[in-house]
Amino acid sequence: MKGYLVLSTGEIFEGEWFGSAADCTGEVVFNTGMTGYQEVLSDPSYAGQIITFTYPLIGNYGINDRDYESLKPACKGLIVGDLCELPSHYEAGHSLAEIAAHYGIGVLSGIDTRAITHIVRTEGEVYGLMTADPAKLDSFKPQPVGNVVPGVSVKEAQTYSEDAEGPHVALIDFGYKKSILTNLLNGGCKVTVMPYSVTYNEIVALNPDGVFLSNGPGDPKDLTPQLGELKQIVENYPTMGICLGHQLISLMFGCDTERLPYGHRGSNHPVKNVITGKVYLTSQNHGYVVKPESLAVSPLELTFVNVNDKSVEGVRHKTLPISSVQFHPEAHAGPDDTNHLFADFIRQCQATGEKSYA
């Protein structure tokens, strides 16, 4: 079946339609990873977005039951150059097209993904409509999606490894990837996943040894009403944040954030530790960053910087046990160069007997 993608910039692309036959709209973004399409598909940080894969062949090793990052994909649609319908891998239980149909996601194949990537890099904020009905191509009006975190966060607390002997970590869920939970559990932690709207009193009642702010989709400023509660929480517990969690920590301590021209999404982004000088390859998926000049008027200091565009990739509090990174040390898909940051956080939780730092 033929399908179409029309962009808010006016371009129209025609391809072959797979998956759900329903129309979908969303922000069009591109991911440069050569592998990991299953993890990308199931990453909640892509909520409200249509993902363009720059690698030409997608789906060749199929979909397995192990590598999902969430229970249900949150993205709106997928754009690929060449979709493999008959995957070849001993763990391939389903094809990408089958999984897309199961979860109600449309896939367009046979699209010039280089052209779409060039448009997004040139224009910045681009929205698209995927449809099988050519009559709808002239009537598309872009509708930016805001405040998407409530749709991907858990609704009530969920506890894992109840009998673990390690520290108890409260994982605040803004759209967390399963790999974050896995790394904490592998470190011997008991983990309680809490909704994004958690209060300070709820955290106190939980009595954790540390707090983790997860990744998630959208503009961090959409969560401004929550910053007061979050600040009170992180000021009283050892805290680590990733991606959206990093941006929220920066906002609550007086920094500012801004939208990147076209975002960082892929598994080969070089990041430099400004303290040691060491460079790491990292997995990234974000459209917003902390303004570097805003750090000067905050109690935070720079720890990591992006080698390519010098954007802020990590911060830490000057006096409190709070740190965060923009990239993904859990890295699925992607390199595990910075996976040691989980061990650093767990040791900090273990070493802290006093529960109050304010």
Side-chain angles (χ1 to χ4, degrees):
M1 180 171 76
K2 281 187 178 181
Y4 306 88
L5 170 70
V6 55
L7 301 180
S8 55
T9 49
E11 293 86 354
I12 296 174
F13 297 84
E14 179 182 316
E16 188 174 359
W17 191 285
F18 296 89
S20 170
D23 293 352
C24 71
T25 61
E27 181 187 6
V28 178
V29 300
F30 62 88
N31 184 289
T32 60
M34 296 176 66
T35 60
Y37 53 79
Q38 179 173 352
E39 294 90 335
V40 170
L41 165 72
S42 56
D43 184 346
S45 292
Y46 284 103
Q49 296 178 333
I50 295 173
I51 306 167
T52 302
F53 291 100
T54 61
Y55 191 72
L57 179 61
I58 298 296
N60 53 307
Y61 56 85
I63 299 286
N64 61 51
D65 294 327
R66 184 187 67 246
D67 290 328
Y68 287 104
E69 288 294 344
S70 63
L71 294 176
K72 182 180 179 181
C75 66
K76 289 301 198 73
L78 305 176
I79 305 294
V80 303
D82 185 5
L83 180 67
C84 177
E85 298 182 64
L86 296 174
S88 177
H89 193 278
Y90 73 98
E91 288 186 319
H94 300 279
S95 71
L96 178 57
E98 289 170 339
I99 291 300
H102 176 73
Y103 286 111
I105 298 169
V107 183
L108 271 179
S109 178
I111 302 293
D112 185 348
T113 56
R114 282 191 174 189
I116 293 176
T117 301
H118 179 73
I119 292 168
V120 174
R121 285 179 60 93
T122 303
E123 301 294 334
E125 192 169 359
V126 177
Y127 294 87
L129 163 68
M130 289 174 56
T131 181
D133 184 358
K136 297 180 180 180
L137 299 179
D138 294 331
S139 59
F140 171 57
K141 290 184 172 42
Q143 297 177 331
V145 179
N147 200 26
V148 286
V149 167
V152 295
S153 178
V154 296
K155 307 306 179 192
E156 56 186 25
Q158 302 173 354
T159 300
Y160 299 85
S161 290
E162 185 75 45
D163 299 325
E165 297 181 0
H168 181 195
V169 175
L171 171 56
I172 302 179
D173 175 24
F174 303 102
Y176 82 97
K177 292 173 63 181
K178 183 191 70 176
S179 294
I180 294 176
L181 174 62
T182 299
N183 273 279
L184 293 172
L185 295 178
N186 288 345
C189 296
K190 169 185 172 182
V191 181
T192 300
V193 181
M194 301 294 287
Y196 81 98
S197 56
V198 65
T199 66
Y200 171 68
N201 288 336
E202 289 171 333
I203 292 293
V204 170
L206 196 64
N207 193 31
D209 299 297
V211 172
F212 205 107
L213 274 61
S214 83
N215 64 294
D219 186 340
K221 291 180 180 177
D222 287 344
L223 295 173
T224 297
Q226 187 67 12
L227 291 181
E229 291 285 343
L230 292 173
K231 187 169 189 259
Q232 193 174 7
I233 291 169
V234 305
E235 285 180 332
N236 286 278
Y237 299 91
T239 299
M240 180 176 175
I242 286 179
C243 200
L244 181 58
H246 155 77
Q247 296 161 11
L248 293 172
I249 286 172
S250 299
L251 285 174
M252 68 181 74
F253 286 106
C255 297
D256 196 9
T257 56
E258 62 184 344
R259 183 185 172 91
L260 282 168
Y262 45 81
H264 296 157
R265 297 177 179 89
S267 55
N268 55 352
H269 292 260
V271 166
K272 181 179 180 179
N273 184 321
V274 300
I275 300 167
T276 66
K278 187 171 183 178
V279 174
Y280 301 89
L281 284 181
T282 67
S283 176
Q284 304 206 10
N285 173 20
H286 60 99
Y288 293 84
V289 289
V290 176
K291 289 184 178 181
E293 63 273 15
S294 68
L295 287 172
V297 295
S298 79
L300 304 177
E301 59 185 2
L302 183 70
T303 54
F304 293 92
V305 65
N306 189 290
V307 173
N308 291 332
D309 63 9
K310 310 307 178 186
S311 59
V312 174
E313 291 281 0
V315 298
R316 69 182 180 189
H317 199 283
K318 294 176 182 177
T319 59
L320 299 177
I322 302 168
S323 62
S324 62
V325 291
Q326 181 64 77
F327 51 88
H328 289 267
E330 78 281 6
H332 286 89
D336 59 2
D337 293 22
T338 57
N339 191 260
H340 65 274
L341 294 176
F342 282 95
D344 295 343
F345 169 68
I346 292 171
R347 282 194 296 269
Q348 192 173 56
C349 294
Q350 291 170 327
T352 304
E354 185 68 33
K355 292 291 181 67
S356 178
Y357 307 93

